[in-house]
Amino acid sequence: MPDATPLTPGITSGRLSAETLSQNFDDLHPAYAPHEAAVAADRCYFCHDAPCITACPTDIDIPLFLRQIQTGTPEAAAKTILSQNILGGMCARVCPTETLCEEACVREAAEGKPVEIGRLQRFATDTLMRAGKHPFTRAKSTGKSVAVVGAGPSGLSCAHRLAMHGHDVVLFDARAKAGGLNEFGIAAYKSTDGFAAQEVDWLLKIGGITVETGQRLGQELSLDELQNEYDAVFIGIGLSGVNSLRAAGEEREGVSDAVSFIADLRQASDLSGLPVGRDVVVIGGGMTAVDAAVQSKLLGAQNVTIVYRRGQDQMGASRFEQDLATSKGVRIVANAQPVAIHGNGAVAEAEFEYTTTKDGTLKGTGETFRIKADQLFKAIGQTLEGAPEALKLDGRKIAVTGAGRTSVKGIWAGGDCASGGDDLTVTAVAEGRDAAEDIHSTLMGGK
Ligand SMILES: Cc1cc2nc3c(=O)[nH]c(=O)nc-3n(C[C@H](O)[C@H](O)[C@H](O)COP(=O)(O)OP(=O)(O)OC[C@H]3O[C@@H](n4cnc5c(N)ncnc54)[C@H](O)[C@@H]3O)c2cc1C
Ligand code: SF4
């Protein structure tokens, strides 16, 4: 192990002790104790036409589950949540509640302090999952089979709902492990102790779902074969490509994409073995940029800067995420775009140009500046890769109408790879579930 510190130049591992790393990557929102949960749930006004429900992409009956917690029946609360959102445990950890249910909560408008819906949802779902219970059972077999491609949130949610309706599901994924970005993307301090894998195991307890990993659509699998072998196909392959910076010097050593860095971090068994730069620059403005920057800092990088090309108020990352970054010592530079990556072989400096917006168009001002960097992460968005040619696209995503119907009969799509909706875990879950309902009624002759 190198005897490194945060000041050691270059990209190196072991900048912090194992103890500090374990503290740094501890749970972001620690779980409630039962009494705390009952008190927190009691703050709910149980509003009629509750705005929090409307703000939830999966339409969870929030006042009902809060009432169930308040009356000491957290397992019933969990069932209320999971009947709408089977990944309610993960969503309780990763949803940007500050821009969804908690932003809409009337207590937020009145007092600036919403009911802590996310943490309460976690309390309920963790209680049920800890008891090892799966609250749903399969309907009688329909004799129909469905191929679900992609075992991320959209595919898992679709597969579960189909299995519940009595269909046989084969869930294919290109990777060696199911879970999608829950397993490979979400920040380590949001999903601790292997929760993503535990949740997949728990979800599969419904029965009727066979998982086949190492199966990539376009390589091991073809759409034609799937169409021939199954009664319906759902595609939830997410966005696995990354945008390029289009700045000179992008190929220099030390420049990589933020999603791969985060995937390595999520799969590392020992964080002290994971190398990180002393001077890290992250280019982008979304959750991926914030997660890469915060986790670099937590690994022991001395200086971490996020550079975003538009104003800070236009960043995709919520205010809460931005504040989290700055509270960890990350610097945010807004209104600057990359023009060149300098260095002799490896990156040494990144050069940016200030920007301004004129008549709605972003323009460089001509004035440039440089930031020292021995590691640079690109976090400027993911792109669709591997979508079958037979499917029509809408812009850069698979075109869908209604509950995920693609341009080809018998094929549905949802989650990040499909048009419409935000690229969020909870939206992917909602789309997978709704597509499953549409597939079910189509297969049973309803549509
Ligand atoms: C770094 C990062 C952090 C994020 N943090 C948050 C957060 O905190 N909160 C939040 O709400 N959202 C977050 N998101 C967004 C969220 O993770 C996604 O919106 C969500 O995972 C989308 O689910 P999905 O099922 O559509 O796709 P994915 O989760 O991407 O899953 C797609 C699956 O398909 C598989 N696959 C891909 N191509 C093929 C193929 N050709 N054949 C077979 N299988 C294939 C992949 O291996 C993967 O398992 C984050 C995203 C990133 C990148
Ligand atoms: S808006 Fe807030 S107070 Fe009203 S039902 Fe929802 S959580 Fe309760």
Side-chain angles (χ1 to χ4, degrees), residues 377-403:
F377 294 119
K378 299 180 270 185
I380 50 171
Q382 287 87 246
T383 54
L384 180 64
E385 244 181 37
E389 278 178 15
L391 304 180
K392 274 200 189 128
L393 298 186
D394 175 0
R396 301 171 78 190
K397 296 203 172 190
I398 298 172
V400 292
T401 50

Side-chain angles (χ1 to χ4, degrees), residues 93-96 149-155 172-175 177-182 184-187 190 215-218 221 236-240 258-259 262 287-288 291 321 382 385-387 414-417 422-426 428:
R93 289 161 165 80
V94 308
C95 262
V149 187
S154 62
F172 296 101
D173 201 284
R175 291 206 190 238
K177 225 172 175 179
L181 289 171
N182 284 359
F184 294 95
I186 295 295
K190 290 185 187 168
Q215 299 291 315
R216 181 177 292 278
L217 186 63
L221 305 173
I237 56 174
L239 302 172
S240 53
V259 181
I262 293 167
M287 269 185 196
T288 306
D291 286 355
E321 302 266 349
Q382 287 87 246
E385 244 181 37
D416 287 3
C417 69
D422 295 326
D423 289 351
L424 291 176
T425 310
V426 66

Side-chain angles (χ1 to χ4, degrees), residues 29 42 83 111-112 236 244 305 329 345 379:
H29 300 293
D42 199 36
S83 61
E111 301 156 41
S244 78
T305 313

Side-chain angles (χ1 to χ4, degrees), residues 108-432:
E108 168 64 21
E111 301 156 41
K113 192 173 180 311
V115 176
E116 286 191 279
I117 301 167
R119 277 183 82 191
L120 286 159
Q121 175 164 319
R122 174 168 171 185
F123 170 74
T125 50
D126 281 5
T127 305
L128 184 99
M129 286 172 72
R130 239 190 338 264
K133 292 184 188 162
H134 190 91
F136 306 108
T137 47
R138 289 193 76 191
K140 200 159 95 333
S141 172
T142 60
K144 306 275 183 194
S145 64
V146 184
V148 172
V149 187
S154 62
L156 285 166
S157 158
C158 182
H160 184 275
R161 186 56 67 111
L162 288 166
M164 236 171 91
H165 283 308
H167 307 296
D168 289 328
V169 181
V170 182
L171 180 55
F172 296 101
D173 201 284
R175 291 206 190 238
K177 225 172 175 179
L181 289 171
N182 284 359
E183 178 61 46
F184 294 95
I186 295 295
Y189 45 81
K190 290 185 187 168
S191 171
T192 55
D193 303 324
F195 180 76
Q198 286 170 33
E199 191 178 43
V200 170
D201 291 345
W202 171 87
L203 178 147
L204 294 175
K205 283 190 186 170
I206 185 75
I209 305 172
T210 310
V211 180
E212 294 210 9
T213 53
Q215 299 291 315
R216 181 177 292 278
L217 186 63
Q219 287 179 12
E220 290 80 10
L221 305 173
S222 82
L223 193 59
D224 283 351
E225 279 165 16
L226 293 177
Q227 280 181 288
N228 288 335
E229 283 175 37
Y230 296 88
D231 297 300
V233 179
F234 173 83
I235 297 178
I237 56 174
L239 302 172
S240 53
V242 283
N243 284 318
S244 78
L245 288 180
R246 278 179 271 154
E250 191 175 341
E251 69 297 337
R252 287 195 191 287
E253 210 181 298
V255 178
S256 61
D257 78 87
V259 181
S260 304
F261 165 70
I262 293 167
D264 289 347
L265 194 145
R266 283 295 307 278
Q267 300 305 305
S269 53
D270 174 12
L271 289 177
S272 61
L274 203 73
V276 69
R278 177 180 72 180
D279 302 299
V280 176
V281 171
V282 184
I283 300 178
M287 269 185 196
T288 306
V290 166
D291 286 355
V294 170
Q295 291 179 112
S296 299
K297 193 76 191 157
L298 299 180
L299 280 174
Q302 175 71 9
N303 303 304
V304 182
T305 313
I306 292 176
V307 185
Y308 177 58
R309 64 194 180 125
R310 298 183 188 274
Q312 198 170 332
D313 54 337
Q314 285 169 279
M315 283 174 75
S318 68
R319 193 75 224 182
F320 171 83
E321 302 266 349
Q322 293 175 37
D323 289 348
L324 175 74
T326 49
S327 75
K328 301 288 178 198
V330 172
R331 191 163 70 107
I332 298 177
V333 176
N335 291 115
Q337 62 190 8
V339 289
I341 315 294
H342 302 285
N344 185 9
V347 53
E349 280 183 329
E351 185 177 349
F352 297 90
E353 178 184 24
Y354 284 114
T355 62
T356 181
T357 304
K358 274 208 186 106
D359 305 326
T361 312
L362 189 77
K363 289 194 173 122
T365 63
E367 191 188 343
T368 62
F369 64 97
R370 293 186 181 205
I371 303 179
K372 216 168 153 189
D374 44 30
Q375 190 164 33
L376 186 143
F377 294 119
K378 299 180 270 185
I380 50 171
Q382 287 87 246
T383 54
L384 180 64
E385 244 181 37
E389 278 178 15
L391 304 180
K392 274 200 189 128
L393 298 186
D394 175 0
R396 301 171 78 190
K397 296 203 172 190
I398 298 172
V400 292
T401 50
R405 291 185 181 202
T406 70
S407 54
V408 176
K409 197 162 176 261
I411 303 178
W412 281 255
D416 287 3
C417 69
S419 61
D422 295 326
D423 289 351
L424 291 176
T425 310
V426 66
T427 309
V429 173
E431 291 175 2

Side-chain angles (χ1 to χ4, degrees), residues 41 43-48 50-53 62-63 66 101 104-108 114-115 117:
R43 289 189 62 238
C44 176
Y45 292 137
F46 310 111
C47 310
H48 178 65
C52 54
I53 304 182
I62 294 166
L66 293 174
C101 55
C105 176
V106 297
R107 283 258 189 187
E108 168 64 21
V115 176
I117 301 167

